[in-house]
């Protein structure tokens, strides 16, 4: 017999979006927050650069909005960009007051000011940070606030496996698995918030931690929600070459280039000036493609990030984690250039949501990286994702307070997952490895029609093979099924866009085509 639980609000995920929403929504009733690993484990936890907001006197939300729109390559929605950039500064201050210790200094008038960083595509210093451990500080501060609120039950090591719908198609909870025992538990809820993060683990090389397996996007899609813009995958140009920390490449923050570090080829040429007037601080898609092109044309495995001309004291104070991690790999970044390579970093697409974080399935909300709000369009401005997650988690909770939460769900029939078997888990591992290689090769920084066609065909075969894993009550099996689902969404969406725009670069269609200045929307009818 499965266990049964009931709550008013179910939140899946303990990154910035899930934690902030849970805190704010706890005014409304009982909140259960489940997360598949330990409480802080999330992409949020590894964020380095910071959170963008126009808090400086020489800055304004309108300037932040212009930079966001320019980066979005024609697809960022002006109304959403305005909403996020205008509400951002006050929310970032609230985050600080909630106990997230951002780096600050006291100005000449004795007032505490944020120490602001600089990143590519921003025409002002506006990145609020906690040295290079911004995400860790956010996670610690918010987990502490959630625990001390006494209003939220936070349940670690619980994996959301499938959403539950009633006869009218309303989402009324989920089937979850205890990651320790594999025991299935049915959770009934009046409203469900997915805050499950990104899909980086669909690629062989990624900055994302192991939790980033696209579970929320895949579950929402299977439940009938529309998904938007999945072709826009951001590759970060500077992950530490050869690093693999439990499945994740170590990031060297763009803020290092913001302080003046320069990208060079192995023979020392500062190659970015050949690609863009902003050189090493050009928008991230341009830097990633340039690094990729240089590596391929020279047959080299990495390029170099040179910070050796910066003051060692600045490096040690501003980038203590990066400095220390490089030292552990035998690189003293105050003296040696750092070998770096691009890695999959962020998905701009996700479950389509409106300005209140509502998906197209009734009772189902989504916020953070698993949602597509219209803020980023075809390319994300650095440090805008933590901000987007915060703003939309807040808006979702505010809207629930205003509109009220739906009534108790009625009885629903649940088709339970089946006990795990060892052979299925091994098959899941092999499938995962193949799909990661396929996505890296054919749905990566540079794409072609043939490559995308091949990836689409092979993914369809892998999905066929995975049908035997479909009902296994095992986290590795469920994650592989979800990764295959989101990989197909990326490839299908990329094939629907025969042009190059923002993060989607197709060598066979290298120009932007005004005829495709629209979102790519995929639903189950399109991919089945
Ligand atoms: P996450 O923080 O990823 O949290 C997802 C949560 O959902 C986790 O708790 C996970 O365990 C849980 N979960 C997932 N699936 C399930 C399931 N099936 N059942 C139960 N729980 C589940 N953005 C910026 O704006 N600024 C930065 O400086 C920055 N730096 C970054 C550095 C790195 C190395 C990385 C990887 C990303 C960075 N980003 C940055 C992007 C940003 O960190 C993420 O987009 C953002 O943190 C996502 O927050 P989230 O709450 O949506 O998801
Ligand atoms: C970084 O620190 O370079 C990551 C910033 C981001 O992804 O927004």
């Amino acid at each position: 017999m499965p266990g049964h639980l009931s709550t008013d609000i179910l939140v899946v995920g303990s990154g910035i979006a899930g934690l902030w929403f849970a805190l704010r929504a706890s005014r409304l009733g009982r909140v259960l927050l489940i997360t598949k690993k330990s409480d802080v484990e999330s992409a949020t936890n590894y964020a380095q650069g910071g959170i963008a907001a126009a808090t400086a006197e020489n800055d304004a939300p309108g300037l932040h909005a212009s930079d966001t729109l320019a980066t979005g390559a024609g697809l960022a929605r002006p109304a959403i960009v305005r909403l996020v950039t205008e509400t951002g500064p006050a929310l970032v201050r609230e985050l600080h007051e909630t106990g997230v210790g951002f780096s600050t200094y006291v100005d000449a008038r004795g007032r505490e000011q944020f120490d602001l960083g600089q990143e590519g595509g921003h025409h002002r210093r506006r990145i609020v940070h906690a040295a290079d451990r911004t995400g860790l500080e956010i996670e610690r501060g918010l987990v502490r606030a959630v625990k001390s609120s006494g209003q939220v039950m936070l349940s670690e090591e619980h994996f959301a496996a499938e959403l539950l719908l009633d006869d009218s198609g309303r989402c009324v909870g989920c089937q979850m698995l205890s990651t320790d025992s594999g025991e299935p538990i049915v959770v009934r809820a009046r409203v469900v918030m997915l805050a499950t993060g990104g899909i980086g683990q669909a690629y062989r090389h990624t900055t994302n931690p192991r939790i980033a397996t696209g579970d929320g996007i895949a579950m929402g899609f299977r439940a009938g929600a529309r998904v938007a813009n999945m072709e826009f995958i951001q590759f970060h140009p500077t992950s530490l070459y050869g690093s693999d920390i439990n499945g994740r490449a170590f990031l060297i923050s763009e803020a290092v280039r913001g302080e003046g570090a320069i990208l060079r080829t192995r023979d020392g040429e500062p190659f970015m000036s050949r690609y863009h007037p902003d050189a090493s601080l050009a928008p991230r898609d341009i830097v990633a493609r340039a690094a990729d092109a240089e590596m391929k044309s020279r047959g080299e495995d990495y390029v170099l990030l040179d910070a050796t001309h910066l003051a060692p004291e600045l490096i040690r104070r501003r980038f203590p984690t990066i400095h220390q991690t490089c030292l552990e790999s035998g690189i003293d970044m105050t003296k040696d250039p750092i070998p770096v390579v691009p890695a999959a970093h962020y998905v701009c697409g996700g479950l389509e949501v409106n300005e209140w974080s509502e998906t197209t399935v009734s009772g189902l909300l989504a916020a953070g990286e698993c949602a597509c709000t219209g803020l980023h369009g075809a390319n994300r401005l650095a440090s805008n994702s933590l901000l987007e997650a915060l703003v939309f988690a807040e808006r979702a909770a505010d809207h629930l307070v205003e509109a009220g939460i739906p009534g108790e769900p009625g009885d629903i029939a649940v088709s339970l997952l089946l006990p795990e078997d060892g052979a299925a888990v091994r098959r899941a591992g092999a499938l995962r490895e193949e799909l990661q290689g396929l996505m890296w090769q054919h749905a990566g920084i540079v794409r072609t029609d043939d490559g995308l066609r091949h990836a689409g065909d092979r993914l369809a075969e892998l999905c066929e093979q995975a049908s035997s894993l479909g009902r296994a009550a095992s986290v590795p099996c469920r994650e592989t099924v979800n990764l295959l689902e989101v990989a197909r969404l990326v490839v299908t969406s990329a094939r629907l866009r025969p042009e190059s725009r923002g993060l989607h670069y197709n060598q066979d269609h290298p120009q932007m085509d005004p005829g495709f200045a629209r979102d790519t929307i995929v639903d189950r009818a399109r991919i089945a």
Side-chain angles (χ1 to χ4, degrees):
M1 266 299 279
H4 283 267
L5 283 174
S6 168
T7 184
D8 294 317
I9 299 167
L10 171 65
V11 185
V12 185
S14 59
I16 186 171
L19 291 168
W20 192 256
F21 174 77
L23 264 182
R24 299 307 233 208
S26 62
R27 294 170 272 176
L28 280 155
R30 295 166 301 158
V31 177
L32 170 62
L33 188 159
I34 64 170
T35 192
K36 66 180 172 180
K37 294 267 187 197
S38 65
D39 49 17
V40 297
E41 185 57 7
S42 58
T44 303
N45 193 41
Y46 301 101
Q48 295 182 349
I51 178 163
T55 59
E57 277 175 13
N58 71 346
D59 201 0
L63 297 175
H64 186 186
S66 318
D67 290 342
T68 303
L69 286 167
T71 302
L75 294 192
R77 275 197 239 145
I80 297 292
V81 171
R82 199 164 50 244
L83 185 156
V84 172
T85 51
E86 281 175 2
T87 49
L91 271 177
V92 168
R93 285 191 192 98
E94 259 188 82
L95 192 60
H96 189 49
E97 281 153 20
T98 304
V100 175
F102 292 123
S103 301
T104 58
Y105 66 96
V106 176
D107 70 11
R109 287 172 286 177
R111 292 185 316 193
E112 186 186 40
Q113 303 283 2
F114 290 126
D115 174 44
L116 299 172
Q118 173 76 60
E119 289 180 359
H122 290 274
H123 288 90
R124 287 287 185 279
R125 276 192 172 261
R126 65 166 70 96
I127 317 298
V128 178
H129 62 91
D132 61 356
R133 298 187 275 258
T134 308
L136 179 67
E137 186 56 38
I138 291 175
E139 280 291 323
R140 280 186 188 154
L142 289 184
V143 166
R144 207 165 38 229
V146 160
K147 287 186 173 164
S148 61
S149 76
Q151 304 291 328
V152 179
M153 185 174 151
L154 199 166
S155 193
E156 298 171 283
E157 309 293 340
H158 279 94
F159 178 87
E162 219 59 80
L163 295 171
L164 303 176
L165 301 183
D166 70 8
D167 288 347
S168 70
R170 173 184 154 200
C171 180
V172 291
C174 85
Q175 192 175 158
M176 71 178 186
L177 301 172
S178 153
T179 56
D180 295 336
S181 63
E183 181 205 1
I185 301 163
V186 173
V187 187
R188 282 152 44 92
R190 293 162 69 182
V191 67
V192 177
M193 163 60 88
L194 291 175
T196 49
I199 69 162
Q201 290 289 326
Y203 286 85
R204 180 176 289 154
H205 304 291
T206 179
T207 61
N208 290 193
R210 278 205 201 278
I211 56 98
T213 51
D215 301 342
I217 299 175
M219 276 189 290
F221 179 70
R222 283 196 292 272
R226 296 196 332 168
V227 166
N229 289 353
M230 289 294 286
E231 67 273 38
F232 298 118
I233 305 293
Q234 185 164 69
F235 291 82
H236 199 295
T238 58
S239 74
L240 179 61
Y241 172 69
S243 60
D244 180 350
I245 309 172
N246 196 18
R248 145 183 94 83
F250 181 74
L251 183 74
I252 310 290
S253 175
E254 190 161 315
V256 178
R257 277 174 284 137
E259 294 303 333
I262 295 168
L263 279 162
R264 299 183 187 279
T265 52
R266 285 180 65 179
D267 59 11
E269 191 211 335
F271 62 91
M272 275 312 303
S273 48
R274 279 194 277 114
Y275 289 86
H276 195 276
D278 291 340
S280 292
L281 264 191
R284 210 174 270 180
D285 59 318
I286 293 169
V287 183
R289 273 200 296 279
D292 183 66
E294 292 297 321
M295 285 159 52
K296 281 179 181 154
S297 69
R298 291 161 187 261
E300 291 174 353
D301 290 343
Y302 55 84
V303 292
L304 295 170
L305 181 65
D306 183 4
T308 56
H309 52 291
L310 305 184
E313 154 47 27
L314 168 78
I315 290 178
R316 283 191 282 265
R317 175 176 50 78
R318 180 69 176 84
F319 305 113
T321 316
I322 296 171
H323 178 242
Q324 182 57 33
T325 306
C326 286
L327 278 181
E328 284 160 17
S329 297
I331 302 152
D332 179 348
M333 68 185 276
T334 65
K335 299 195 184 103
D336 315 311
I338 309 167
V340 290
V341 286
H345 184 62
Y346 183 83
V347 58
C348 289
L351 296 165
E352 189 191 15
V353 294
N354 64 14
E355 69 269 40
W356 304 111
S357 303
E358 293 168 323
T359 70
T360 54
V361 168
S362 147
L364 183 64
L365 309 174
E369 193 167 337
C370 68
C372 182
T373 65
L375 176 72
H376 311 306
N379 193 3
R380 176 177 68 97
L381 185 64
S383 288
N384 263 0
S385 51
L386 292 171
L387 182 69
E388 179 195 44
L390 187 67
V391 169
F392 276 85
E394 173 87 4
R395 291 181 64 79
D398 282 353
H399 189 60
L400 280 183
V401 170
E402 261 172 44
I405 43 176
E408 292 282 345
D411 282 339
I412 31 159
V414 180
S415 145
L416 280 181
L417 296 169
L418 306 169
E420 160 178 343
D421 78 87
V425 175
R426 284 191 294 281
R427 271 200 311 281
L431 285 169
R432 185 188 289 221
E433 234 171 79
E434 183 172 347
L435 95 89
Q436 289 171 330
L438 201 62
M439 292 298 285
W440 183 254
Q441 200 179 345
H442 298 297
I445 300 172
V446 176
R447 301 162 180 183
T448 62
D449 284 347
D450 275 352
L452 288 171
R453 192 174 317 112
H454 170 73
D457 292 348
R458 186 64 190 143
L459 282 171
E461 288 166 8
L462 297 184
C463 286
E464 199 58 40
Q465 291 173 27
S467 55
S468 61
L469 314 175
R471 309 279 322 148
S474 126
V475 172
C477 292
R478 304 308 307 160
E479 286 183 339
T480 296
V481 167
N482 292 337
L483 282 168
L484 281 166
E485 193 95 79
V486 292
R488 282 181 88 187
L489 286 167
V490 172
V491 171
T492 302
S493 305
R495 294 180 74 184
L496 290 170
R497 186 174 288 285
E499 63 156 354
S500 290
R501 180 184 295 273
L503 298 166
H504 170 68
Y505 183 75
N506 183 332
Q507 223 166 28
D508 295 320
H509 312 274
Q511 303 303 325
M512 188 138 90
D513 178 346
F516 285 96
R518 56 170 188 258
D519 292 336
T520 309
I521 307 287
V522 177
D523 59 19
R524 273 194 312 188
R526 168 79 77 171
I527 211 165

Coordinates of all heavy atoms in Angstrom, one line a residue, residues 165-171 223 361-362:
L165 N -3.7 14.2 -12.1 CA -4.8 15.0 -12.6 C -6.1 14.5 -12.3 O -6.3 13.2 -12.2 CB -4.7 15.1 -14.2 CG -3.4 15.6 -14.8 CD1 -3.5 15.7 -16.3 CD2 -3.0 17.0 -14.3
D166 N -7.1 15.3 -12.0 CA -8.5 14.8 -11.8 C -9.2 14.7 -13.2 O -8.6 15.0 -14.2 CB -9.2 15.6 -10.8 CG -9.6 17.0 -11.3 OD1 -9.4 17.2 -12.5 OD2 -10.1 17.8 -10.5
D167 N -10.4 14.3 -13.2 CA -11.2 14.1 -14.4 C -11.3 15.3 -15.3 O -11.4 15.2 -16.5 CB -12.6 13.6 -14.1 CG -12.5 12.1 -13.6 OD1 -11.5 11.5 -13.8 OD2 -13.6 11.7 -13.1
S168 N -11.2 16.5 -14.6 CA -11.4 17.7 -15.4 C -10.0 18.2 -15.9 O -10.0 19.2 -16.6 CB -12.0 18.8 -14.5 OG -11.0 19.2 -13.5
G169 N -9.0 17.5 -15.6 CA -7.6 17.8 -16.1 C -6.9 18.8 -15.2 O -5.8 19.3 -15.5
R170 N -7.5 19.0 -14.0 CA -6.8 19.9 -13.0 C -5.7 19.1 -12.3 O -5.9 17.9 -11.9 CB -7.9 20.3 -12.0 CG -7.3 21.1 -10.8 CD -8.4 21.5 -9.8 NE -7.9 21.6 -8.5 CZ -8.5 21.5 -7.3 NH1 -9.8 21.3 -7.4 NH2 -7.9 21.7 -6.2
C171 N -4.6 19.8 -12.0 CA -3.5 19.1 -11.3 C -3.8 19.1 -9.8 O -4.1 20.2 -9.2 CB -2.2 19.8 -11.6 SG -0.8 19.1 -10.7
A223 N 1.7 16.0 -18.5 CA 0.4 16.3 -17.9 C -0.4 17.2 -18.8 O -1.5 17.5 -18.5 CB 0.5 16.9 -16.5
V361 N -1.9 24.2 -17.6 CA -2.7 23.1 -16.9 C -3.3 23.8 -15.6 O -2.5 24.3 -14.8 CB -1.9 21.9 -16.5 CG1 -2.6 21.0 -15.6 CG2 -1.5 21.2 -17.8
S362 N -4.6 23.6 -15.4 CA -5.2 24.3 -14.2 C -4.6 23.6 -12.9 O -4.3 22.4 -12.8 CB -6.7 24.0 -14.3 OG -7.3 23.9 -13.1

